[in-house]
Amino acid sequence: MTAAGNKSPVKLPNEPEITPQIVAEHGLAPDEYQRVLDIMGRPPTMVELGIFSAMWSEHCSYKSSKVWLKKLPTRAPWVIQGPGENAGVIDIGDGQAAIFKMESHNHPSYIEPYQGAATGVGGIMRDVFTMGARPVANLNALRFGDPAHPKTRHLVSGVVAGIGGYGNCMGIPTVGGETNFHAAYNGNILVNAMTVGVARTDRIFYAAAAGIGNPLVYVGSKTGRDGIHGATMSSTEFNEDSESKRPTVQVGDPFVEKLLLEACLELMATDAIVAIQDMGAAGLTSSAFEMAAKGGLGVIVELDKVPMRETGMNPYELMLSESQERMLIVLKPGREDLARRIFEKWELDFAVIGHLTNTERMVLSWHGDIVGDIPIPPLVTEAPMYERPWTLTPLPAEIEASAVPAPTDLKASLLTLMGCPDLASKAWIWKQYDHLIMGNTAIRPQDGDAALVRVPGGHKGLAMTSDCTPRYVQAHPETGGRQAVAEAWRNITATGARPLAVTDNMNFGNPTKPEIMGQFAGAIMGMVEACTALDFPVVSGNVSLYNETEGRPILPTPTIGAVGVIDDIAKAVGSRLTKAGCALVLIGDTRGWLGQSLYLREICGREEGAPPPVDLAVERRNGDFVRGEIAGGRIAACHDLSDGGLLVGVAEMCLAGGTGALVTLPANIGAPHAFLYGEDQGRYVAATDDGQAFLAAAAAAGVPAILLGYAGGQALVVEGHLTLPLDELRAVHEAWLPTYMNSAT
Amino acid sequence: MKAAVLVFPGSNREGDVAQALELITGRRPAMVWHGDGDFEKTDLIVVPGGFSYGDYLRCGAMAAQSPVMAEVKRRAAQGVPVLGICNGFQIVTEAGLLPGVLMRNAHLKFVCSDVHLKVETSQSLFTNRYQAGQVIRVPVAHAEGNYFADADTLKALEDRGQIAFRYCAPDGTVDGPLGKQANPNGSINNIAGIFNETKTVLGLMPHPENAVEPMFGGTDGIGLFEGIVEALS
């Protein structure tokens, strides 16, 4: 078969004329459609229009965000592959690479929480194993609406079950993440899923096609009618009709994905693969397109050869279906039988559905007729890219500690905070995730600032975390962006691991509004500063815009997923306080910053003020010191201070390890409630055997540190202020989520 | 000791148990594909955890009909020890090697957590390294671990000492509210694992293979594997 050149393709029976209404339904603006006409030199067929619509959707093209994403630092000596592939790749030594990415599945999860979340997990795992890595861990960052909102309980229940249902069956441990609640997410929850995998550095697979005439192979599940136009759906705002979009949510089958994982890894151990790409958003369209475009080649796809789940499917549906658990592979010539045997062993579909050409065109055939013929380069180079107007959020006025009332009862205030939705134990969630399978989980959820997983077959550990404080980003996006990166870096540091790289999941509202675009721009500016200052490049990411319902945007949420490495996992520490008699040392300066603190929100009912500033030089200095002390074996447990401040941090260490603490407030600290609940950045609490030696080492390094007290007993005591038995603290901390989930709607 | 670990489509803890066996016996077990009804002779057969056949139809029901399980049944009848863990417990039960059934957890959710187990007897090749009444800590990870058997079967199991492990409080309490609280799935009589009549087949829901290294879940599972090695060497 040869390419059709610029001849008009055949029209299918019942194919409608392209009207302005059909164009609008495909999410293309009139000027964008004019570009389509200019590229094609004729009106497109329906399947061609569908392809432009998907490829130029916000989800696939990053048309509003690209100009900003380019500003992020993406290089470092240890970066093997930065953004632009299925996932980022970093060198972790010994010929091994960590491959990871975070991706959102927000809109589908709101419409159908179980399947939406499940297929989000399935999709991100495919992104990672497509590149040759066996996934070793999953994380997820979830943001739900107000617990009092009538839909929230149902969404939490469905999303958590969906994440567990998929990850548990795949046999990949789900080891970490975060969960927040805020009314701004009432109509638009966030489900951000991250997967980390490990591969050999000389066995990494990419998407760029090569070799004219090489066969294009389809493997995995059959194609059905699910998820058609998912990419376009997730690129628009929600309204009251969104419920009717349920059929655009994909349905996942983790069992098939498990088979696909094993089959792909088995094939990858041979030399048969030229290029491989999973079929994610925009399905066959984007996978075939990206493989050909990255290779500078053309492709012929014989759509009638695609394995179909239903009868009567047409080219439009086949190209735009987002059926799950499918991969597209370019094989070396003559390797078809070898590959077919592997996929048939795993009881998966295998079909040669086309081949590569030198035409730089994507040609679609259907029972011998050409039904689509699109030039590939202009669809990429002429893709819309917008420099949308943006207005930065001004920095709110600082709130002095003196303007924030002290609690009438310190104990009651601590119990309120430890039992509030954002700080309460999330055990109800993570106990539904298999976090132990593979036998490599060294730091479990709630036992450390980052999860820690052994790299199979050795002594190295990968530390991983996901972080964002949306209320800080809302108050001042630049500070919030900086803080999200710094906290991720700090969480990895607190285990003793070296932070290496970041994956970002940018969740924002409608980018055509200048203030929303300004939030995006501001967050990126802050992230650029922090990633640069901390040598913490961004290697992969995902953008989710239009997170609005009826015009109300979410809190701007640039979720930062991060990975670090520790060469000897036996030297890593968690945050569990287990050893009575250890000295507790506070590292970093405390001003008592209460603006945007959880104390201000939960105790005073105010969401106000400037968020705590992040001094990146101080952050680095303090973190490098802490990491060095952990490496030297001088820290038994370590916890960074973030939401809730010092007292909450110490309380969390006590609960995790089942050991109490006696804290003596130093002199000259100003208002105790600001000292105890302020959310100043760049701080850690470390437990150490020799407090005085530790303080001396800190002083020598120019790092502020003070002795807080000692571990021991079965109560959290702040001398002269508070005595709280751990059992009482634990009961409150652990009660909220199960009680909430079990109460009637 | 030579061990075989079965692999079904959807098995996912075969690597964990292979890793534990290798660590403790110094010998990598043979991995046996579900379609292989004629695998090499081994001293022990392990049916591992996972979601064989996607848990379609009923957990373990399809795997129980596979060619390899027909062979496992033949060898079990000859006295070759069989260890079924989690989904493997479901499979050997569906295959008729053990009585009873594993139902959906009482709270209907998947549960992954450390649990405490009371070792009911040391008189078996699987438990000879433990003391009767000893409490060990190992994790569970399942959605269908709620063991049930009718009253007659249950009585027979209890009378013949076929209960291997029960869920218990950290101090060993099995009865009363503490015992109930310690039961992660609603299992009858807090049963976590049972033997066949000859105590050559053990099925259990918890994962001793995930408790064999101090940093990665503790070491309380080691005794089970060491006991098997000792009994079979």
Side-chain angles (χ1 to χ4, degrees):
Chain A
M1 191 186 296
T2 56
N6 221 358
K7 279 201 309 253
S8 279
V10 171
K11 279 189 93 174
L12 293 166
N14 306 323
E15 179 158 346
E17 289 298 325
I18 307 292
T19 63
Q21 193 195 340
I22 287 179
V23 171
E25 282 169 357
H26 280 76
L28 288 169
D31 59 316
E32 291 175 344
Y33 184 61
Q34 187 55 50
R35 285 179 192 231
V36 175
L37 294 175
D38 294 345
I39 288 170
M40 298 298 290
R42 60 172 168 79
T45 60
M46 271 300 281
V47 62
E48 289 168 340
L49 180 70
I51 289 169
F52 274 97
S53 158
M55 292 304 296
W56 286 0
S57 69
E58 194 68 60
H59 190 90
C60 289
S61 75
Y62 297 92
K63 58 191 170 190
S64 300
S65 56
K66 214 172 204 168
V67 292
W68 287 100
L69 296 175
K70 282 183 185 163
K71 298 177 191 294
L72 291 165
T74 60
R75 288 166 188 276
W78 54 88
V79 174
I80 294 173
Q81 175 66 52
E85 269 289 341
N86 283 300
V89 184
I90 55 172
D91 193 330
I92 56 169
D94 305 319
Q96 290 176 308
I99 301 187
F100 65 99
K101 188 183 180 184
M102 184 184 276
E103 197 161 75
S104 62
H105 229 210
N106 303 333
H107 292 79
S109 299
Y110 183 78
I111 296 169
E112 211 300 283
Y114 186 97
Q115 289 297 343
T119 54
V121 172
I124 193 63
M125 279 196 272
R126 273 197 308 284
D127 277 338
V128 167
F129 73 75
T130 298
M131 298 197 72
R134 181 174 284 280
V136 298
N138 288 322
L139 296 92
N140 54 78
L142 311 178
R143 321 277 167 190
F144 295 106
D146 184 345
H149 188 273
K151 288 198 88 156
T152 301
R153 190 179 286 101
H154 159 71
L155 290 167
V156 174
S157 170
V159 164
V160 170
I163 290 172
Y166 212 102
N168 297 346
C169 182
M170 283 292 288
I172 313 301
T174 301
V175 295
E178 49 178 342
T179 306
N180 290 157
F181 296 84
H182 192 280
Y185 303 105
N186 278 353
N188 199 310
I189 61 171
L190 302 184
V191 174
N192 296 172
M194 172 170 165
T195 295
V196 182
V198 173
R200 273 170 46 191
T201 50
D202 60 353
R203 301 297 290 170
I204 295 167
F205 292 84
Y206 297 95
I212 292 155
N214 277 350
L216 185 70
V217 169
Y218 171 116
V219 298
S221 281
K222 294 186 194 323
T223 298
R225 289 193 169 99
D226 49 338
I228 290 174
H229 270 309
T232 317
M233 174 193 82
S234 55
S235 301
T236 52
E237 276 185 45
F238 267 5
N239 55 43
E240 58 196 13
D241 295 335
S242 294
E243 299 277 330
S244 68
K245 291 185 175 167
R246 192 165 291 142
T248 62
V249 177
Q250 311 86 329
V251 178
D253 185 342
F255 171 59
V256 174
E257 177 134 316
K258 169 71 173 161
L259 303 182
L260 188 62
L261 164 69
E262 299 302 337
C264 285
L265 292 179
E266 195 170 324
L267 182 63
M268 284 164 170
T270 73
D271 65 345
I273 297 176
V274 174
I276 178 165
Q277 166 83 39
D278 83 300
M279 293 191 225
L284 190 51
T285 289
S286 76
S287 54
F289 212 94
E290 279 173 27
M291 290 178 90
K294 283 176 177 160
L297 294 176
V299 63
I300 290 183
V301 184
E302 297 167 61
L303 287 169
D304 45 291
K305 295 196 172 151
V306 171
M308 288 171 235
R309 194 192 301 154
E310 301 169 50
T311 54
M313 290 189 72
N314 61 40
Y316 180 92
E317 292 167 331
L318 289 166
M319 285 303 288
L320 293 163
S321 162
E322 292 190 1
S323 288
Q324 299 291 291
E325 296 97 23
R326 302 179 301 161
M327 291 271 189
L328 206 54
I329 303 174
V330 175
L331 287 177
K332 288 182 185 164
R335 298 294 204 285
E336 292 92 326
D337 286 345
L338 165 78
R340 184 188 297 276
R341 276 198 299 276
I342 291 173
F343 284 89
E344 285 178 352
K345 170 188 159 191
W346 290 98
E347 299 176 24
L348 293 165
D349 272 290
F350 176 100
V352 177
I353 62 162
H355 61 271
L356 300 178
T357 68
N358 62 355
T359 60
E360 295 195 77
R361 303 181 76 86
M362 179 195 250
V363 176
L364 309 174
S365 78
W366 180 245
H367 298 291
D369 291 329
I370 302 300
V371 294
D373 183 357
I374 298 176
I376 292 170
L379 194 144
V380 178
T381 56
E382 301 299 310
M385 185 146 89
Y386 298 118
E387 293 205 38
R388 302 210 185 265
W390 48 282
T391 317
L392 286 180
T393 309
L395 185 65
E398 200 175 311
I399 293 183
E400 293 294 331
S402 58
V404 179
T408 47
D409 178 346
L410 184 64
K411 180 172 158 180
S413 68
L414 178 59
L415 289 174
T416 300
L417 279 167
M418 290 296 286
C420 81
D422 278 358
L423 289 179
S425 166
K426 301 300 183 300
W428 185 91
I429 294 176
W430 54 257
K431 283 190 172 180
Q432 294 185 56
Y433 305 150
D434 192 335
H435 49 276
L436 303 174
I437 191 162
M438 296 176 107
N440 292 316
T441 308
I443 299 183
R444 302 179 182 190
Q446 218 165 287
D447 287 351
D449 286 346
L452 187 68
V453 172
R454 174 171 55 186
V455 177
H459 302 287
K460 288 201 300 280
L462 289 176
M464 48 194 92
T465 179
S466 110
D467 293 288
C468 182
T469 314
R471 63 182 188 279
Y472 295 173
V473 191
Q474 168 82 10
H476 190 242
E478 288 136 282
T479 306
R482 216 180 283 132
Q483 192 274 340
V485 173
E487 187 176 345
W489 188 86
R490 204 184 301 144
N491 281 333
I492 296 212
T493 293
T495 66
R498 295 191 308 280
L500 289 180
V502 160
T503 178
D504 59 344
N505 199 152
M506 310 292 289
N507 309 274
F508 288 79
N510 181 343
T512 63
K513 298 178 183 171
E515 67 277 14
I516 299 288
M517 205 56 223
Q519 290 177 339
F520 191 91
I524 290 277
M525 290 175 195
M527 289 163 57
V528 168
E529 279 179 45
C531 289
T532 305
L534 300 171
D535 279 328
F536 208 24
V538 176
V539 295
S540 59
N542 165 244
V543 176
S544 172
L545 300 174
Y546 298 96
N547 289 292
E548 300 202 0
T549 302
E550 312 283 335
R552 284 186 303 276
I554 58 161
L555 299 183
T557 311
T559 311
I560 302 298
V563 172
V565 72
I566 185 162
D567 294 327
D568 180 1
I569 197 168
K571 292 194 167 160
V573 299
S575 60
R576 302 175 66 228
L577 209 56
T578 53
K579 206 168 153 190
C582 266
L584 296 176
V585 178
L586 169 63
I587 297 148
D589 266 325
T590 303
R591 272 183 60 187
W593 193 282
L594 288 172
Q596 294 298 341
S597 66
L598 280 186
Y599 177 82
L600 193 64
R601 189 180 85 187
E602 298 294 327
I603 306 296
C604 309
R606 293 157 57 187
E607 297 182 54
E608 292 171 12
V614 180
D615 183 325
L616 293 162
V618 166
E619 188 75 54
R620 184 159 189 151
R621 182 195 66 199
N622 294 0
D624 288 348
F625 171 72
V626 166
R627 201 177 313 105
E629 293 302 296
I630 294 172
R634 292 181 288 276
I635 291 181
C638 187
H639 190 21
D640 91 303
L641 296 182
S642 52
D643 278 343
L646 173 63
L647 191 54
V648 165
V650 174
E652 288 170 342
M653 293 178 80
C654 292
L655 288 182
T659 303
L662 170 63
V663 172
T664 309
L665 292 185
N668 308 319
I669 53 159
H673 69 292
F675 181 78
L676 291 170
Y677 290 131
E679 296 183 4
D680 306 78
Q681 298 293 300
R683 297 186 304 159
Y684 305 78
V685 171
T688 177
D689 283 335
D690 187 342
Q692 291 310 321
F694 194 91
L695 292 180
V703 170
I706 51 175
L707 186 65
L708 275 181
Y710 295 89
Q714 279 299 308
L716 172 57
V717 179
V718 180
E719 220 172 359
H721 295 270
L722 169 80
T723 300
L724 178 53
L726 289 193
D727 286 347
E728 189 180 349
L729 179 60
R730 187 184 306 282
V732 170
H733 183 58
E734 291 182 355
W736 180 76
L737 189 51
T739 306
Y740 170 68
M741 292 309 297
N742 293 334
S743 54
T745 26
Chain B
M1 184 197 73
K2 262 168 87 174
V5 177
L6 307 190
V7 185
F8 299 93
S11 293
N12 64 20
R13 260 189 168 88
E14 76 277 17
D16 301 42
V17 77
Q19 194 171 300
L21 282 166
E22 190 174 3
L23 190 73
I24 291 156
T25 68
R27 191 163 177 183
R28 187 99 190 132
M31 307 305 281
V32 176
W33 187 240
H34 68 111
D36 185 358
D38 184 29
F39 59 97
E40 64 172 317
K41 213 164 156 266
T42 58
D43 306 314
L44 170 74
I45 297 168
V46 181
V47 192
F51 290 72
S52 58
Y53 298 93
D55 277 356
Y56 287 132
L57 189 58
R58 209 168 52 243
C59 300
M62 288 170 73
Q65 304 301 323
S66 63
V68 77
M69 281 308 294
E71 179 63 16
V72 169
K73 280 197 263 187
R74 274 192 293 277
R75 295 194 193 180
Q78 293 160 8
V80 175
V82 177
L83 170 62
I85 306 172
C86 199
N87 185 226
F89 186 13
Q90 295 161 347
I91 293 169
V92 297
T93 304
E94 285 283 344
L97 289 172
L98 292 171
V101 62
L102 291 143
M103 306 188 300
R104 192 85 191 267
N105 293 348
H107 49 68
L108 305 179
K109 293 191 294 287
F110 189 96
V111 58
C112 177
S113 176
D114 277 344
V115 296
H116 291 92
L117 300 179
K118 187 176 172 196
V119 181
E120 290 291 308
T121 173
S122 63
Q123 303 298 309
S124 82
L125 67 100
F126 299 101
T127 55
N128 62 67
R129 276 292 176 105
Y130 300 116
Q131 307 291 321
Q134 186 180 342
V135 176
I136 62 172
R137 198 191 64 184
V138 292
V140 290
H142 61 250
E144 276 99 2
N146 181 358
Y147 184 79
F148 181 79
D150 62 64
D152 291 345
T153 307
L154 202 60
K155 184 169 184 313
L157 283 172
E158 297 278 5
D159 289 351
R160 295 192 198 114
Q162 284 177 250
I163 312 299
F165 302 102
R166 288 184 218 268
Y167 302 109
C168 66
D171 68 355
T173 306
V174 168
D175 302 321
L178 278 178
K180 190 172 175 189
Q181 205 185 344
N183 184 338
N185 52 34
S187 185
I188 193 161
N189 292 6
N190 278 32
I191 288 172
I194 57 169
F195 300 113
N196 65 346
E197 279 188 54
T198 54
K199 294 189 187 161
T200 50
V201 177
L202 168 65
L204 78 169
M205 287 313 295
H207 292 285
E209 74 276 27
N210 286 138
V212 294
E213 292 182 87
M215 258 200 107
F216 306 93
T219 54
D220 286 2
I222 291 177
L224 185 126
F225 297 100
E226 282 184 346
I228 297 171
V229 173
E230 190 171 288
L232 298 180
S233 305

